[in-house]
Amino acid sequence: VIRAGIAGGSGYVGLELLRYLHGHPNFQVAVITSREHHGQPVGDVHRGLAGITDLHFTDDVANLTNLDLVFTAVPHGESMKLVAQLRAIRSDLPIIDVGADFRISQQQFEQVYGEKHLCPELLQEAVYGVPELYGERVFNARLIANPGCFAHCTILALAPLAMRGLLVGPARVSAVTGSSGSGAHAKAVTHHPDRNDSISAYNVLAHRHVPEIERALSETSPVAIKMVPLSGPFSRGIFATVFATVTDATISVGDIYAEFAAANRFVRLRGTTPRLLDVRGTNFCDMAVHQSGSEVVIISAIDNLGKGAAGNAVQCANLMFGLPEESGLLFPPLAP
Amino acid sequence: VIRAGIAGGSGYVGLELLRYLHGHPNFQVAVITSREHHGQPVGDVHRGLAGITDLHFTDDVANLTNLDLVFTAVPHGESMKLVAQLRAIRSDLPIIDVGADFRISQQQFEQVYGEKHLCPELLQEAVYGVPELYGERVFNARLIANPGCFAHCTILALAPLAMRGLLVGPARVSAVTGSSGSGAHAKAVTHHPDRNDSISAYNVLAHRHVPEIERALSETSPVAIKMVPLSGPFSRGIFATVFATVTDATISVGDIYAEFAAANRFVRLRGTTPRLLDVRGTNFCDMAVHQSGSEVVIISAIDNLGKGAAGNAVQCANLMFGLPEESGLLFPPLAP
Amino acid sequence: VIRAGIAGGSGYVGLELLRYLHGHPNFQVAVITSREHHGQPVGDVHRGLAGITDLHFTDDVANLTNLDLVFTAVPHGESMKLVAQLRAIRSDLPIIDVGADFRISQQQFEQVYGEKHLCPELLQEAVYGVPELYGERVFNARLIANPGCFAHCTILALAPLAMRGLLVGPARVSAVTGSSGSGAHAKAVTHHPDRNDSISAYNVLAHRHVPEIERALSETSPVAIKMVPLSGPFSRGIFATVFATVTDATISVGDIYAEFAAANRFVRLRGTTPRLLDVRGTNFCDMAVHQSGSEVVIISAIDNLGKGAAGNAVQCANLMFGLPEESGLLFPPLAP
Amino acid sequence: VIRAGIAGGSGYVGLELLRYLHGHPNFQVAVITSREHHGQPVGDVHRGLAGITDLHFTDDVANLTNLDLVFTAVPHGESMKLVAQLRAIRSDLPIIDVGADFRISQQQFEQVYGEKHLCPELLQEAVYGVPELYGERVFNARLIANPGCFAHCTILALAPLAMRGLLVGPARVSAVTGSSGSGAHAKAVTHHPDRNDSISAYNVLAHRHVPEIERALSETSPVAIKMVPLSGPFSRGIFATVFATVTDATISVGDIYAEFAAANRFVRLRGTTPRLLDVRGTNFCDMAVHQSGSEVVIISAIDNLGKGAAGNAVQCANLMFGLPEESGLLFPPLAP
């Protein structure tokens, strides 16, 4: 058994990590931290877990350093402090950060998040955790930066074309997120009467995940992303419409995506359209691709807490520990 | 034109009063107050009203005292201060309070809301605004206490039996409310990921509206209410299941309700069941009644912001000003 | 009073026309037809209208020909038969068709809908009902083809640029529709467990509204549209993300849209984003525009049954009868 | 490995059985039948299962008779034919029927469902599958009748009082169901625009599950149930408000329920209220109990497809095969 810890376990990502790891044959959550809920049974905070786990929250992060692996799920700006603190105690501690602090370059981070990065050397070490692109690097990593939810959904949609250098001009993305993406605490954007039955946009052409996406997709040649993030009236999921132009109208885009799906256990091609329900509660990314000459539309759907956060983090953990990539992750979605 | 004011106009009840009065042939909103939004155009706060109204919020409540009628829509505890303040400036100002401070006796208020009532003499004057029961009193009133949303839905469901003294034992009520009942500001109970797809109960057997209901229904003989309030995954409406027992299994309950509906413009009998959609955005109370011997089930549905707040307040205003009760109120619901 | 008829009044568009015309100072619905519900009170079928209207459905369309105006709201393929039938009885009958049969050229119609057009001469006569673009033509029309919902939302988003010939390359549209767009009868795509909490795409790059859009926008120079229609988990609304490229990065797109909004009563510019709630139940089209060099994003939101159907039809009717364009249409949305 | 079959596997209960059994350490689905989808991969019909299972649907029910256990999930009236057919081929085949044909007496069945029962001797043999009440009988059974969803939620709510003979007079139940309770095919009651944002009632005081409930609860002394079933705007769950009266106001009802929860792995007491989210996707029944003298309110929540169908069927299967009752069933809900 691989003993894992969750730092910042009272949020939705913490809850979802508990859910994924509960059903995993190799990992076991040994320590879970929360400042706010120190000492409380996990089942009192994450009510659905009552009767399922005996874990209690602790606020002593030092307990995490004796474990085999730590997932950090704390707000941006906090991750870098926490990771530095853990590594100061134990320099070889494997860490998967489900926050935002290790995903982009120091310069990008300081520009996007408006604060100084506190541990550039760890940032240097971090591997961006897209197993479908960087499986080898993830396997060898000690510090993983788990991608943002909008980012991962978009990266997988464009990777087959970007990796081959087939994209011309910017890719345009309109992506709707569920309300759980805003976290476990009530805020204006998750006020039910405003969110129910409505859609709205935010951070148009200026979302923080864009630099992650552009960086991950630009290894072959530079890719630019124009992104419109939308807030949708549902709890879970990211549903992205991606418009791309390819270099040549004779390229058989369908074949390229079929190959990508065949090579990746958690990528499924779904005929005309993916549906959020088909990925809800899972680590799958479902896609459909449509082509009209050199114009291509890729539609991709993930669970923002699954492939967009905890599910992918567990997939990375599998790779880091030499387990089959899909260990503990091949279960049905909750549908309907 | 009757010039009306709205005190506390930045909340959902304020917004809904604007909506009802906008389409009313006799009333016109001349002043609307909000401390938080002082000076702002109403259409900047209630975004849907942009291009429809030129009103601006003011924080000077004295502006209200020159009007023909004031609706007060402020939190409990604030209403009594505000009403006292307005009456100190103009002692005969007609006021309809859509808050909670003038609905029950001083003793009940102080027990239920846990604070001293500041103007018992105004409380004495106040008329409980159920036009279907107290139309005459409303006509003659200068100060109306508009009923609570759970209260009004339950009162109308039981009134036909209670007024005739036909009830035996307590009536049991399970009633689901929409999220707009919690107001315009985000709070834990309206956090979308928790509210969507779920139901929960609160204040079981202890809701603050119970004394209002019991008081209103006990004019003929004492009526006891056992109420379970539920929070539902929708924005608008109260849907109540009411179990009652009548004195005699031979009573034709259906006839009694048919008579009640025939006598009241905003009560509609709906075969097997009412539906929230049929009353959404309106002042209607839709009902169905089922009888099995002396056991009776009444199902009633209102819009919590309509018959449960602003719609009924306007109905009371019509009565106070000698207008037809239904003036400006007979429009279709928004369905679907 | 202008006496209006509604043909095909048992669907959602028929219901919505009743709702709009009920509050209109100049129009009155005198006849409403439905084969299925012949003889039934309207309030038995559209339950929310009980107690509000005394109308009954008839199946005798000849009753419509004595009226001042007829709205036809029947399935595509039926409209052309019905309109021909009505005009055969009375050749100058003003008609607004809220169906699909008179929106595009004969050739396009036969290609898109796969059936022969039965009255090409009426098609020739028909005016495409976008008041914001063709107000003059609408004023002079006797037969209006009301635009499709996806079409109208997209046309208004792009019109300010297209009319000036400022677009380069195709415009790309990802637009989510509410479930009421599929009509009043249950079907697989509106099965609640599948629709709730999910999103899916259909007719990607092949939606029937695309030819309408391209035709309406190409009067200055040819415009191509790449559209991805999505089905969303809400009842009402179309929310469109439109990506466009302009000829010159120095064009001040914001000013162009501000001018467009200022000139059109039912177009509102909304800062960062429109919201479906702000247009729900109304004839408004709310928009936001974002520019990054020559890349432009326009976000537009309408109620599919309002500006996308009945609301716009009434706006056209106002123009046809020389009334102020906004007569009976300036009321608040139902929000929340 | 215990080899299981699912008859009627294309519906929601079939899908949910697949989900539960997929994660079960002891059972494996070897055969799944569907007339409509004969020959198709399961992942083409239950789209979320693509890439997870290689099963194909067959229409040859004879394949089921070589297995260790068969779950039948077919419409009422079909179950009895199918069970008789399977038993004719193999007389000792263990069967768990998740349909309605073996739950009540022959006389009750013929009255409630309006058709003759075709195999009264099998009905005689069938054990009503409430593990919390009849664990011993389930252990010894070869034919289980899995309770209806409304039934199970109500039975567990009242069992602690009913088993002790503490109930006085009828128990009154208002229970809201999610739309998945109406099955996988679109129908009027699941039309999204009607279901979303609304609540309605049906079969008031006349639901088919009432005889099941009364029979299960009347082993100590007769219990009468007055039930109001409601249709709610969510996909999964039954949320019941149960009003009961106990023989004596001094009874400590809280202690009785605490004991019941302590004795039953899938019953959880939840302070003030259960929430649908806490049981979504699981076999748990969450409850809260409130007492005011002899008046008691029990609130209980289950997943209609979990404890209300597939989850409980698997719990019964565990018992039949001598496994720990909770095998494969102790996993977290999908929340949010």
Side-chain angles (χ1 to χ4, degrees):
Chain A
V1 166
I2 303 166
R3 295 172 72 244
I6 300 171
S10 66
Y12 285 152
V13 173
L15 168 56
E16 196 72 352
L17 283 166
L18 283 167
R19 195 174 70 83
Y20 275 90
L21 294 174
H22 185 271
H24 199 290
N26 306 102
F27 291 95
Q28 186 190 328
V29 177
V31 175
I32 184 163
T33 75
S34 165
R35 266 190 297 233
E36 187 183 353
H37 298 288
H38 172 57
Q40 285 186 261
V42 165
D44 281 9
V45 175
H46 300 310
R47 292 170 42 116
L49 296 179
I52 294 175
T53 179
D54 293 328
L55 283 169
H56 285 61
F57 288 109
T58 174
D59 65 354
D60 184 357
V61 297
N63 293 332
L64 296 163
T65 55
N66 300 318
L67 304 175
D68 301 312
L69 172 67
V70 172
F71 297 92
T72 51
V74 298
H76 72 82
E78 298 294 315
S79 279
M80 54 187 174
K81 286 182 215 164
L82 178 59
V83 169
Q85 187 184 356
L86 295 172
R87 280 295 180 82
I89 300 176
R90 185 174 143 216
S91 63
D92 66 344
L93 180 68
I95 298 175
I96 297 177
D97 180 39
V98 200
D101 292 2
F102 297 94
R103 295 174 183 161
I104 45 181
S105 73
Q106 182 179 358
Q107 190 189 343
Q108 285 176 316
F109 179 85
E110 295 180 353
Q111 190 181 334
V112 171
Y113 293 92
E115 50 187 308
K116 209 173 147 44
H117 204 290
L118 304 176
C119 40
E121 67 299 335
L122 287 170
L123 183 51
Q124 204 71 24
E125 178 198 331
V127 167
Y128 192 62
V130 181
E132 289 75 12
L133 299 186
Y134 312 127
E136 188 77 14
R137 297 181 210 169
V138 170
F139 175 76
N140 292 310
R142 301 249 114 206
L143 174 57
I144 298 281
N146 205 61
C149 49
F150 278 113
H152 213 151
C153 193
T154 304
I155 289 168
L156 293 176
L158 287 167
L161 300 176
M163 288 187 303
R164 286 171 174 80
L166 297 177
L167 291 172
V168 178
R172 294 158 179 99
V173 183
S174 175
V176 201
T177 182
S179 55
S180 64
S182 296
H185 287 291
K187 44 187 75 73
V189 296
T190 61
H191 187 43
H192 183 275
D194 285 341
R195 187 90 182 211
N196 184 33
D197 292 314
S198 198
I199 300 190
S200 58
Y202 67 102
N203 294 349
V204 177
L205 300 180
H207 196 275
R208 288 171 165 176
H209 290 176
V210 169
E212 294 184 41
I213 302 168
E214 293 183 338
R215 193 188 195 210
L217 293 175
S218 295
E219 300 220 340
T220 305
S221 59
V223 170
I225 299 293
K226 305 293 178 190
M227 177 175 283
V228 179
L230 308 178
S231 298
F234 49 90
S235 298
R236 278 186 182 241
I238 304 249
F239 190 97
T241 308
V242 181
F243 297 94
T245 309
V246 291
T247 49
D248 185 339
T250 66
I251 293 168
S252 176
V253 173
D255 291 344
I256 290 173
Y257 279 82
E259 191 180 307
F260 186 65
N264 289 289
R265 202 66 166 95
F266 294 105
V267 174
R268 300 188 295 196
L269 271 186
R270 306 315 306 251
T272 303
T273 183
R275 304 186 313 162
L276 286 182
L277 279 189
D278 297 330
V279 300
R280 183 162 70 166
T282 77
N283 190 46
F284 287 100
C285 176
D286 280 11
M287 286 190 203
V289 61
H290 297 262
Q291 182 176 13
S292 167
S294 58
E295 290 288 319
V296 178
V297 171
I298 309 107
I299 306 171
S300 68
I302 62 168
D303 184 325
N304 58 305
L305 296 175
K307 190 66 181 168
N312 189 69
V314 173
Q315 187 181 351
C316 288
N318 285 339
L319 287 170
M320 285 172 88
F321 284 84
L323 301 170
E325 190 174 36
E326 67 272 20
S327 291
L329 291 171
L330 279 184
F331 48 81
L334 195 80
Chain B
V1 166
I2 303 166
R3 296 172 71 243
I6 301 172
S10 67
Y12 286 150
V13 173
L15 168 55
E16 195 73 351
L17 282 166
L18 283 167
R19 195 174 70 82
Y20 275 91
L21 295 174
H22 184 271
H24 199 291
N26 306 101
F27 292 96
Q28 186 190 329
V29 177
V31 176
I32 185 164
T33 75
S34 164
R35 266 189 298 232
E36 187 181 353
H37 298 288
H38 173 58
Q40 287 187 261
V42 164
D44 282 8
V45 176
H46 300 308
R47 292 171 41 118
L49 295 180
I52 295 175
T53 179
D54 293 329
L55 283 169
H56 285 61
F57 289 110
T58 175
D59 65 353
D60 185 357
V61 297
N63 292 334
L64 297 164
T65 55
N66 300 318
L67 304 173
D68 302 313
L69 171 67
V70 173
F71 296 92
T72 51
V74 298
H76 72 83
E78 298 294 315
S79 280
M80 54 188 173
K81 286 182 214 163
L82 177 59
V83 169
Q85 186 183 357
L86 295 172
R87 280 295 180 82
I89 301 175
R90 186 174 142 215
S91 64
D92 65 344
L93 181 68
I95 297 175
I96 297 178
D97 179 40
V98 200
D101 292 1
F102 296 93
R103 296 175 184 161
I104 45 182
S105 73
Q106 182 179 0
Q107 190 189 345
Q108 284 177 315
F109 179 86
E110 296 182 351
Q111 190 180 336
V112 170
Y113 293 91
E115 51 187 307
K116 208 171 149 44
H117 203 288
L118 303 176
C119 40
E121 67 300 335
L122 287 170
L123 182 51
Q124 204 72 22
E125 178 197 331
V127 166
Y128 192 62
V130 181
E132 290 75 11
L133 299 186
Y134 313 127
E136 188 78 14
R137 297 181 210 167
V138 171
F139 176 76
N140 292 311
R142 300 249 116 206
L143 174 57
I144 297 280
N146 205 61
C149 49
F150 277 113
H152 213 151
C153 194
T154 305
I155 289 168
L156 293 175
L158 286 167
L161 300 176
M163 290 186 304
R164 285 172 175 81
L166 296 178
L167 292 172
V168 177
R172 295 158 179 100
V173 183
S174 175
V176 200
T177 181
S179 56
S180 64
S182 297
H185 287 291
K187 43 186 76 72
V189 296
T190 62
H191 188 43
H192 184 275
D194 285 341
R195 187 88 181 213
N196 183 33
D197 291 316
S198 197
I199 300 189
S200 58
Y202 65 103
N203 294 348
V204 178
L205 300 181
H207 195 276
R208 286 170 166 178
H209 289 176
V210 169
E212 293 183 41
I213 301 168
E214 291 182 340
R215 194 188 194 208
L217 292 174
S218 295
E219 301 220 339
T220 305
S221 58
V223 170
I225 299 294
K226 305 293 177 189
M227 176 175 283
V228 179
L230 308 178
S231 297
F234 50 90
S235 298
R236 276 184 184 243
I238 304 247
F239 191 96
T241 309
V242 181
F243 296 94
T245 309
V246 291
T247 48
D248 184 341
T250 65
I251 294 167
S252 176
V253 172
D255 291 344
I256 290 173
Y257 279 81
E259 192 180 305
F260 186 64
N264 288 290
R265 203 66 166 94
F266 293 104
V267 174
R268 300 188 294 197
L269 271 185
R270 304 318 304 252
T272 303
T273 183
R275 302 187 315 161
L276 286 182
L277 280 188
D278 297 329
V279 300
R280 183 162 68 167
T282 77
N283 190 46
F284 286 100
C285 177
D286 279 11
M287 286 189 203
V289 60
H290 297 263
Q291 182 176 13
S292 167
S294 58
E295 290 286 318
V296 178
V297 171
I298 309 105
I299 306 172
S300 67
I302 63 169
D303 184 323
N304 58 305
L305 297 175
K307 189 66 182 167
N312 189 70
V314 174
Q315 188 180 350
C316 288
N318 285 339
L319 287 170
M320 284 172 87
F321 284 84
L323 301 169
E325 188 174 36
E326 67 272 19
S327 291
L329 291 172
L330 280 185
F331 49 80
L334 194 81
Chain C
V1 166
I2 303 165
R3 297 172 71 243
I6 300 171
S10 67
Y12 285 151
V13 173
L15 168 55
E16 195 73 350
L17 282 166
L18 283 167
R19 195 174 70 84
Y20 275 91
L21 295 174
H22 185 272
H24 199 290
N26 306 102
F27 292 96
Q28 185 190 329
V29 178
V31 176
I32 184 164
T33 75
S34 164
R35 266 189 298 232
E36 186 183 353
H37 298 288
H38 172 58
Q40 285 186 261
V42 164
D44 282 9
V45 175
H46 300 310
R47 291 171 39 116
L49 295 180
I52 294 174
T53 180
D54 292 328
L55 283 168
H56 286 61
F57 288 110
T58 175
D59 65 354
D60 185 357
V61 297
N63 292 333
L64 296 164
T65 55
N66 300 319
L67 304 174
D68 301 312
L69 172 66
V70 173
F71 296 93
T72 52
V74 299
H76 71 83
E78 298 294 316
S79 279
M80 54 187 172
K81 286 183 214 164
L82 178 60
V83 169
Q85 186 183 356
L86 294 172
R87 279 295 180 83
I89 300 175
R90 186 174 141 214
S91 63
D92 66 344
L93 181 67
I95 297 175
I96 297 177
D97 180 39
V98 199
D101 292 2
F102 297 94
R103 296 175 184 162
I104 45 180
S105 73
Q106 182 179 0
Q107 190 188 343
Q108 285 177 314
F109 180 85
E110 296 181 352
Q111 190 181 334
V112 171
Y113 292 92
E115 51 186 307
K116 210 174 146 42
H117 203 289
L118 303 176
C119 40
E121 67 299 334
L122 287 171
L123 183 51
Q124 206 72 24
E125 178 197 332
V127 167
Y128 192 62
V130 181
E132 289 76 11
L133 299 187
Y134 312 128
E136 188 77 15
R137 299 181 210 168
V138 170
F139 175 77
N140 293 310
R142 300 249 116 205
L143 174 57
I144 298 279
N146 205 63
C149 49
F150 277 113
H152 212 151
C153 193
T154 305
I155 289 167
L156 293 176
L158 287 167
L161 300 176
M163 289 188 303
R164 286 171 174 79
L166 295 178
L167 291 172
V168 177
R172 296 159 178 98
V173 183
S174 174
V176 201
T177 181
S179 56
S180 64
S182 296
H185 287 291
K187 44 187 75 74
V189 295
T190 61
H191 187 43
H192 184 274
D194 284 343
R195 188 90 182 212
N196 183 33
D197 291 315
S198 199
I199 300 190
S200 57
Y202 67 102
N203 295 347
V204 177
L205 301 180
H207 195 275
R208 287 171 165 176
H209 290 175
V210 170
E212 294 183 39
I213 302 168
E214 292 182 339
R215 194 190 197 208
L217 292 175
S218 295
E219 301 220 337
T220 304
S221 60
V223 171
I225 298 294
K226 306 292 178 189
M227 176 176 283
V228 179
L230 309 178
S231 297
F234 49 90
S235 298
R236 278 185 183 241
I238 304 247
F239 190 97
T241 308
V242 181
F243 296 95
T245 309
V246 291
T247 48
D248 184 340
T250 65
I251 294 167
S252 176
V253 173
D255 291 344
I256 290 173
Y257 279 82
E259 192 180 306
F260 186 63
N264 289 288
R265 202 65 165 97
F266 293 105
V267 175
R268 299 188 294 196
L269 271 186
R270 305 315 306 249
T272 303
T273 184
R275 303 187 314 161
L276 287 181
L277 279 189
D278 296 330
V279 299
R280 183 162 69 167
T282 77
N283 190 47
F284 287 100
C285 177
D286 279 12
M287 288 190 200
V289 61
H290 297 263
Q291 182 176 13
S292 167
S294 59
E295 290 287 319
V296 178
V297 171
I298 309 105
I299 307 173
S300 67
I302 62 169
D303 184 322
N304 58 305
L305 297 175
K307 191 65 182 167
N312 189 69
V314 173
Q315 188 181 352
C316 288
N318 285 340
L319 287 170
M320 285 172 87
F321 284 84
L323 302 170
E325 189 174 36
E326 66 272 19
S327 291
L329 291 171
L330 279 185
F331 49 80
L334 194 80
Chain D
V1 166
I2 303 166
R3 296 173 69 243
I6 300 172
S10 67
Y12 285 149
V13 174
L15 168 55
E16 195 73 352
L17 282 165
L18 283 166
R19 195 173 70 84
Y20 275 91
L21 294 174
H22 185 271
H24 200 290
N26 306 102
F27 291 95
Q28 187 190 327
V29 177
V31 176
I32 184 165
T33 75
S34 164
R35 267 189 298 233
E36 188 183 352
H37 298 288
H38 173 57
Q40 286 186 260
V42 164
D44 282 10
V45 176
H46 300 310
R47 291 170 42 116
L49 295 180
I52 295 175
T53 180
D54 292 328
L55 283 170
H56 284 63
F57 287 110
T58 175
D59 66 352
D60 185 357
V61 296
N63 292 333
L64 296 165
T65 55
N66 300 318
L67 304 174
D68 301 312
L69 172 67
V70 173
F71 296 92
T72 52
V74 298
H76 72 83
E78 297 295 315
S79 278
M80 55 187 172
K81 285 182 213 161
L82 177 59
V83 169
Q85 187 183 356
L86 295 171
R87 280 294 180 82
I89 300 176
R90 186 174 141 213
S91 63
D92 66 344
L93 180 68
I95 297 174
I96 296 177
D97 180 41
V98 199
D101 292 2
F102 297 95
R103 295 175 184 161
I104 45 181
S105 73
Q106 181 179 0
Q107 189 189 344
Q108 284 176 315
F109 179 85
E110 296 181 350
Q111 189 182 334
V112 171
Y113 292 92
E115 51 186 309
K116 209 173 146 42
H117 203 289
L118 303 177
C119 40
E121 66 300 335
L122 287 170
L123 183 51
Q124 204 71 24
E125 178 198 331
V127 167
Y128 192 63
V130 181
E132 289 75 11
L133 298 186
Y134 313 128
E136 188 77 15
R137 297 181 211 168
V138 170
F139 176 77
N140 293 311
R142 300 249 115 205
L143 174 58
I144 298 281
N146 205 62
C149 49
F150 277 114
H152 213 150
C153 194
T154 305
I155 289 168
L156 293 176
L158 287 167
L161 301 176
M163 288 187 305
R164 288 172 173 79
L166 296 178
L167 292 171
V168 177
R172 295 158 178 99
V173 183
S174 175
V176 200
T177 182
S179 55
S180 63
S182 296
H185 287 292
K187 43 187 76 72
V189 295
T190 61
H191 187 43
H192 184 274
D194 285 341
R195 188 89 181 212
N196 184 33
D197 292 314
S198 197
I199 300 189
S200 58
Y202 67 102
N203 294 349
V204 178
L205 301 180
H207 196 275
R208 286 169 167 179
H209 290 175
V210 169
E212 294 184 39
I213 301 168
E214 292 182 338
R215 194 189 195 209
L217 292 175
S218 296
E219 300 220 339
T220 305
S221 59
V223 170
I225 298 294
K226 305 294 177 188
M227 177 176 282
V228 178
L230 308 178
S231 296
F234 50 89
S235 298
R236 278 184 183 240
I238 304 249
F239 191 97
T241 309
V242 181
F243 296 95
T245 309
V246 290
T247 48
D248 185 341
T250 65
I251 294 167
S252 175
V253 172
D255 292 344
I256 290 173
Y257 279 81
E259 192 181 306
F260 186 64
N264 289 290
R265 202 65 164 96
F266 294 105
V267 174
R268 299 189 294 197
L269 271 186
R270 304 317 304 251
T272 303
T273 183
R275 305 187 312 163
L276 286 181
L277 280 188
D278 296 329
V279 300
R280 184 162 70 165
T282 77
N283 191 47
F284 286 100
C285 176
D286 279 10
M287 286 189 203
V289 61
H290 297 262
Q291 181 176 14
S292 167
S294 58
E295 290 287 318
V296 178
V297 171
I298 309 106
I299 306 172
S300 67
I302 62 169
D303 184 324
N304 58 305
L305 296 174
K307 190 67 183 168
N312 189 69
V314 173
Q315 188 180 352
C316 288
N318 284 340
L319 287 170
M320 285 172 86
F321 284 83
L323 301 170
E325 189 174 35
E326 67 272 19
S327 290
L329 291 172
L330 279 185
F331 49 79
L334 195 80

